[in-house]
Amino acid sequence: MPFQLPQELRVRSENSIRMTDKAVHNIMKCLLVTFSLSCGMAPAVAALAPSCLSANKTGDDMGYQRIAVEMERSLQDQVLGMWFPRSLDPAGGFYQNYSEDWTRGASNDKALVYQARLIWTAAQSAMRYPAQRLTYSEYVRHGMEFLERGMWDVQDGGFFWGLDPAGNPVRDGEKHAYGISFAIYAACAAYEATHDPGALELARKAFRWLDKRAHDDKNGGYYEALTRRGQPILAPTAGQANDAIGTHYGQKTMNTHIHLLESLTALLDIWPNPTVRKRLQEVFAIVRDKIAVESVGCLNYQFTPEWRTLPDHDSFGHDVETAYLLVEARAALGRPKDPRTWRLARRIVDHALDFGFDGQNAGFYDAGRVFGGPFTTEKIWWVEAEGLNALMLMHVKYRRETTRYWEAFQRLWEFIRDHQVDRTHGGWYATVERDGSAIPGRAKSDAWTDPYHQARALMHVVVALRGLK
């Protein structure tokens, strides 16, 4: 039977958010744990001056609840309400190509990362909004059916990177650890939201396929680009120097491994398998001890297979995102209080504030030199969203010491609310100028532009704000 598009969501009531203990755990693995840790830890970065924040100020005085209401409304109206149910394709999966005014594009190609991120967003929404759980769960099942039947390679296993409009694999059937990681992440969320054993089995199957073919038993971590049959591509091919995420073939990247950290954390939470735990511990150590530069507070981007660093730029968005992911992963491994992880996470956020935050207009720049300022001054939607998440994480834990993170958080939210959000057509602009001026013509949704970053950030920070007193 063809899939029938559900009725338009009309989620507006603040009272509709009655999160179960499990849903809170899913969404707030590391933010909520900081509530119990924030008063007893020694300062991690000496450069931060003691706070002038009065111990007598209440949450209302700080504006926590007011901002929580604003963010919840924005989450519903400008993120979830823009993609759902608009993006559901009756033929399977989700439409991904929409122009600035949300006109659907003529091409109906399907990218694995996009499909997985919409499943994840719908699953988290199903757990967050009990009154809409059945509707969002239908979106999840719809997406999972396409993920398994349309994007899983029944011949050689593994997920294709993408499909063209005719449903044929792109890039000669090439597969990539980055995309497969997001598929695992989506399947984990789908299982938690719907309790469908098929979602859990798909997550397990994808992990086993990836681990057997892409894990680097000698140097640790994972090879990233793979042939259709799952053989690592370690050198450029004829006419093709870079893989699906733009990296020179054969290199390992921060980008893929922080998202492996993310998916392995989610997988261990629903499947306490010894191999998954071992791989999560390994990837965690790689991100913390090889990718991150603790003395500086930034991340290296590209590496040889042996984890030798290659020259590249500092990606401020990935920096602040990794601060959160490290804390989340360490908590999943049973050490939420680990001082070294918190020290590194804080230093990363501090470095991004020092060198990647626009002091005049607010907002994080995309990338720049480690100590030399930005290459470009535009503001990218996902960077700003991850900035919100990281700043709230730091404020929850260190608010008794400094107001720095809260002040930056407020300024960043005001920038997003007033400039990144498109008040004419809805949704977030993918890119705006340094001062917040809109850059016309950019798609609202495509293979790389989706609701995952902003939905996750707003979900996390609203729950955190409501818990602050």
Side-chain angles (χ1 to χ4, degrees):
M1 178 181 296
F3 184 86
Q4 300 297 315
L5 296 183
Q7 184 178 2
E8 182 87 26
L9 286 178
R10 299 194 181 280
V11 183
R12 294 295 181 269
S13 171
E14 292 296 314
N15 295 326
S16 67
I17 305 168
R18 301 187 308 277
M19 300 187 71
T20 64
D21 290 342
K22 182 64 175 174
V24 170
H25 174 67
N26 293 340
I27 294 178
M28 299 299 298
K29 288 184 179 75
C30 69
L31 280 178
L32 289 185
V33 76
T34 63
F35 294 149
S36 62
L37 303 177
S38 59
C39 296
M41 298 283 290
V45 180
L48 286 175
S51 171
C52 59
L53 175 60
S54 169
N56 296 322
K57 276 196 172 183
T58 67
D60 287 342
D61 292 334
M62 299 296 290
Y64 295 145
Q65 304 314 310
R66 173 186 60 78
I67 295 177
V69 169
E70 282 186 5
M71 287 184 156
E72 178 60 40
R73 186 175 299 114
S74 187
L75 168 63
Q76 293 179 17
D77 292 346
Q78 303 298 340
V79 182
L80 303 179
M82 301 311 299
W83 268 273
F84 299 109
R86 169 186 277 121
S87 63
L88 273 76
D89 180 356
F94 301 99
Y95 294 120
Q96 70 184 32
N97 299 313
Y98 290 92
S99 66
E100 182 178 311
D101 66 358
W102 292 97
T103 298
R104 183 153 58 86
S107 177
N108 192 20
D109 51 321
K110 301 279 175 67
L112 176 61
V113 172
Y114 182 93
Q115 301 297 315
R117 286 176 171 177
L118 263 69
I119 293 169
W120 182 92
T121 303
Q124 295 299 335
S125 300
M127 292 185 282
R128 182 181 179 86
Y129 301 109
Q132 299 294 331
R133 186 176 188 116
L134 291 178
T135 302
Y136 275 115
S137 293
E138 275 303 303
Y139 301 162
V140 172
R141 292 187 181 95
H142 178 72
M144 286 297 296
E145 181 179 2
F146 181 75
L147 199 67
E148 183 167 16
R149 296 187 181 182
M151 304 213 72
W152 180 265
D153 183 353
V154 296
Q155 175 182 315
D156 295 302
F159 289 103
F160 293 119
W161 175 257
L163 304 177
D164 67 18
N168 301 310
V170 300
R171 300 180 67 92
D172 296 322
E174 186 176 311
K175 294 156 187 175
H176 201 286
Y178 184 104
I180 295 170
S181 178
F182 268 104
I184 294 170
Y185 191 52
C188 292
Y191 175 70
E192 291 191 301
T194 66
H195 309 294
D196 179 0
L200 175 59
E201 181 53 35
L202 186 61
R204 290 169 169 167
K205 181 168 67 171
F207 167 76
R208 289 175 175 137
W209 188 93
L210 179 68
D211 198 62
K212 179 179 179 180
R213 292 159 178 81
H215 182 257
D216 183 347
D217 295 334
K218 179 181 178 181
N219 301 297
Y222 287 81
Y223 297 112
E224 301 193 6
L226 308 168
T227 66
R228 177 169 182 167
R229 299 187 65 181
Q231 298 169 320
I233 305 174
L234 301 179
T237 59
Q240 189 71 47
N242 294 333
D243 66 14
I245 67 170
T247 304
H248 201 71
Y249 280 116
Q251 308 309 318
K252 293 174 179 173
T253 66
M254 167 270 288
N255 199 2
T256 292
H257 282 78
I258 67 170
H259 290 300
L260 285 166
L261 183 70
E262 182 176 42
S263 63
L264 291 171
T265 298
L267 185 58
L268 183 65
D269 192 45
I270 64 170
W271 183 37
N273 175 274
T275 303
V276 175
R277 174 173 288 275
K278 181 179 179 181
R279 296 296 186 246
L280 177 57
Q281 290 171 330
E282 177 185 300
V283 172
F284 174 86
I286 286 170
V287 174
R288 189 189 65 178
D289 303 337
K290 295 181 183 294
I291 292 177
V293 183
E294 183 176 351
S295 62
V296 176
C298 65
L299 306 179
N300 288 306
Y301 194 87
Q302 293 190 73
F303 303 83
T304 67
E306 299 78 23
W307 292 106
R308 296 185 65 183
T309 305
L310 296 169
D312 215 299
H313 63 278
D314 185 9
S315 174
F316 300 118
H318 287 110
D319 287 356
V320 293
E321 183 178 16
T322 301
Y324 163 77
L325 294 176
L326 281 168
V327 173
E328 179 190 47
R330 202 55 169 159
L333 290 169
R335 294 193 61 190
K337 298 182 180 181
D338 180 29
R340 182 177 178 186
T341 301
W342 277 104
R343 182 172 62 246
L344 173 60
R346 186 177 186 179
R347 187 157 291 170
I348 288 172
V349 175
D350 286 343
H351 182 271
L353 282 173
D354 288 340
F355 296 97
F357 192 81
D358 184 347
Q360 178 179 350
N361 300 290
F364 285 99
Y365 303 119
D366 179 34
R369 300 172 184 84
V370 173
F371 297 116
F375 294 137
T376 59
T377 57
E378 293 88 359
K379 312 291 172 58
I380 313 296
W381 94 98
W382 72 267
V383 177
E384 310 316 314
E386 293 298 341
L388 282 178
N389 201 21
L391 289 170
M392 178 53 62
L393 177 70
M394 293 297 110
H395 176 63
V396 167
K397 183 157 182 63
Y398 298 111
R399 67 190 186 279
R400 306 301 182 191
E401 300 173 22
T402 180
T403 57
R404 182 187 197 195
Y405 307 115
W406 177 242
E407 290 163 359
F409 177 90
Q410 291 181 92
R411 294 194 65 207
L412 176 56
W413 169 240
E414 290 167 0
F415 181 89
I416 292 170
R417 180 195 64 196
D418 297 340
H419 302 292
Q420 205 85 39
V421 172
D422 180 352
R423 295 177 178 270
T424 301
H425 302 296
W428 289 31
Y429 289 113
T431 307
V432 297
E433 299 285 6
R434 177 177 182 172
D435 64 359
S437 302
I439 299 176
R442 278 293 308 271
K444 284 287 171 52
S445 178
D446 57 29
W448 285 105
T449 312
D450 55 65
Y452 149 76
H453 289 282
Q454 57 271 48
R456 181 174 69 175
L458 292 173
M459 288 177 180
H460 285 194
V461 299
V462 167
V463 174
L465 286 166
R466 287 175 175 163
L468 288 169
K469 303 297 182 184

